[in-house]
């Protein structure tokens, strides 16, 4: 395949923010991101063209490859090191298929089911063991074949000590599989730090649902079967549409699954936008809002800054107060959860904090 390249970060934060119009009171990027104006326009134009009989498959492929290149830029790899898909669970199942019979998998306790269940139900006698995220590095030992964790926990917003986990895994000869779905888009992440990384783009990357990415190290890729190979996994997809004689791509794109065309049409401008913003600026902005919110609620500081803030709300009382104040938030595992993204500002912080504190 021919991969487009992405340029250097050039978009100012203020200019990127102008691409979002529905962010006021929306503190749920950790549930689903908001589309950009360019994404909306692209999807509508595509639907209008298709309605009038102008379906452009070449344009769809260009959107897929541009999206792949933007994601590659976001996580610091070249485009041929990124496979495309539609769900995190499918990517996790592919990684699980690389493990030998009876291998031990160490998983962060309470992590998102889409990266847990594929290992539990993989068969072949895989032995799954869990440990709290804060203790994950210390739980790695000579038995561990793979360590699985989200760099940012969905239920709590906790940011993992990824460097510590990776260092211990390497010391014991274990591989690492990281889910970056709740991270890429606000937290700088390098895919090369891990043996495998998966990210669904519909949250912090503001893409339509149905766009996911997977990166693999060369060593892990060599052990991974092309379990879901279809026509798009070919070295030349349009030459591998029929029969079983087609040659798979020589790089990570042999793990591609057939793309959800319309989803990638909407993903392309969103990914390009976020890939063009200076990562440190976006990280400082989002975590700064979250830190202000934590302070206004009197919540304790966290070990590593996060754009997601959660707190105990077992009966949903605080969530109801937030909703009454016009705030869109979410609740997970008995906790209220708010997220601060590029389309939020201090007014969202203050409105949400007042809604919660005034009811106490």
């Amino acid at each position: 395949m021919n991969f487009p390249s992405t340029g250097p970060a050039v978009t100012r934060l203020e200019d990127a923010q102008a691409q979002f119009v529905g962010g006021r009171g929306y503190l749920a990027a950790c549930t689903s991101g908001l589309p950009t104006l360019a994404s909306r326009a692209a999807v509508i134009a595509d639907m209008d063209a298709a309605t009038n009989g102008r379906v452009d498959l070449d344009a769809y492929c260009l959107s897929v490859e541009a999206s792949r290149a933007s994601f590659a830029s976001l996580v610091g790899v070249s485009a041929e090191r990124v496979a495309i898909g539609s769900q995190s669970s499918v990517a996790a199942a592919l990684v699980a298929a690389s493990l030998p019979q009876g291998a031990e998998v160490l998983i962060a306790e309470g992590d998102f089911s889409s990266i847990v269940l594929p290992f539990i139900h993989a068969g072949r006698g895989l032995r799954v063991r869990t440990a709290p995220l804060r203790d994950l590095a210390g739980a790695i030992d000579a038995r561990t074949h793979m360590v699985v964790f989200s760099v940012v926990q969905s239920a709590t917003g906790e940011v993992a000590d990824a460097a510590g986990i990776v260092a211990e895994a390497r010391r014991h000869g274990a591989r690492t599989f990281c889910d970056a779905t709740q991270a890429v888009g606000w937290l700088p992440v390098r895919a090369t730090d891990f043996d495998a990384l998966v990210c669904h783009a519909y949250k912090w990357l503001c893409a339509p649902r149905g766009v996911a990415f997977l990166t693999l190290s060369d060593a892990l890729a060599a052990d991974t079967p092309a379990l879901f190979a279809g026509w798009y996994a070919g070295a030349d997809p349009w030459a591998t549409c029929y029969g079983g004689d087609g040659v798979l791509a020589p790089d990570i794109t042999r793990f591609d699954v057939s793309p959800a065309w319309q989803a990638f049409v909407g993903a392309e401008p969103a990914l390009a936008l976020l890939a063009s913003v200076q990562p440190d600026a976006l990280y400082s902005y989002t975590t700064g809002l979250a830190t202000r919110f934590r302070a206004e609620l009197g919540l304790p500081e966290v070990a590593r800054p996060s754009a997601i803030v959660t707190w105990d709300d077992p009966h949903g009382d605080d969530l109801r107060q937030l909703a009454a104040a016009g705030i869109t938030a979410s609740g997970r595992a008995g906790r209220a959860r708010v997220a601060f993204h590029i389309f939020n500002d201090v007014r969202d912080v203050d409105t949400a904090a007042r809604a919660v504190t005034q009811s106490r």
Side-chain angles (χ1 to χ4, degrees), residues 93-187:
L94 189 66
V95 173
S98 74
L99 300 177
Q101 179 79 24
E104 181 189 273
V105 184
L106 176 63
I107 302 180
E109 190 175 280
D111 217 322
F112 196 67
S113 296
S114 289
I115 64 163
V116 177
L117 295 179
F119 291 93
I120 290 177
H121 298 289
R124 304 191 321 285
L126 296 186
R127 294 175 290 112
V128 175
R129 182 165 60 95
T130 65
L133 184 66
R134 63 181 178 278
D135 301 327
L136 198 62
I140 303 169
D141 59 29
R143 301 169 297 170
T144 310
H145 190 91
M146 178 169 280
V147 185
V148 178
F149 66 101
S150 295
V151 69
V152 178
Q153 291 291 300
S154 175
T156 65
E158 182 179 0
V159 178
D161 177 14
I165 294 169
V166 169
E168 279 301 296
R170 288 176 177 167
R171 189 168 75 86
H172 290 284
R175 288 172 170 169
T176 51
F177 174 35
C178 172
D179 180 359
T181 299
Q182 291 286 9
V184 179
W186 70 267
L187 177 69

Side-chain angles (χ1 to χ4, degrees), residues 285-333:
Y285 183 77
T286 55
T287 57
L289 293 177
T291 298
R292 176 171 174 149
F293 181 77
R294 298 187 70 89
E296 292 194 21
L297 257 64
L299 298 173
E301 295 184 3
V302 291
R304 286 165 290 278
S306 177
I308 303 172
V309 181
T310 69
W311 64 96
D312 288 336
D313 187 30
H315 304 296
D317 296 334
D318 289 344
L319 274 179
R320 284 187 286 274
Q321 292 297 323
L322 288 166
I327 297 292
T328 300
S330 56
R332 296 292 186 272

Side-chain angles (χ1 to χ4, degrees), residues 4-6 63-85 178-185 187 189-192 196-202 204-205 207 211-216 264 267-268 270-276:
S5 60
T6 55
S63 287
V64 171
E65 299 314 321
S67 297
R68 189 199 309 265
S70 290
F71 181 79
S73 176
L74 278 160
V75 297
V77 296
S78 56
E80 65 270 15
R81 302 208 62 84
V82 178
I84 61 106
C178 172
D179 180 359
T181 299
Q182 291 286 9
V184 179
L187 177 69
V189 176
R190 293 185 306 178
T192 51
L197 178 143
V198 66
C199 178
H200 201 302
Y202 77 101
W204 296 90
L205 292 173
V211 175
F213 301 97
L214 172 69
T215 70
L216 297 171
F264 276 94
E268 178 187 353
L271 290 166
L273 178 70
L274 289 167
S276 73

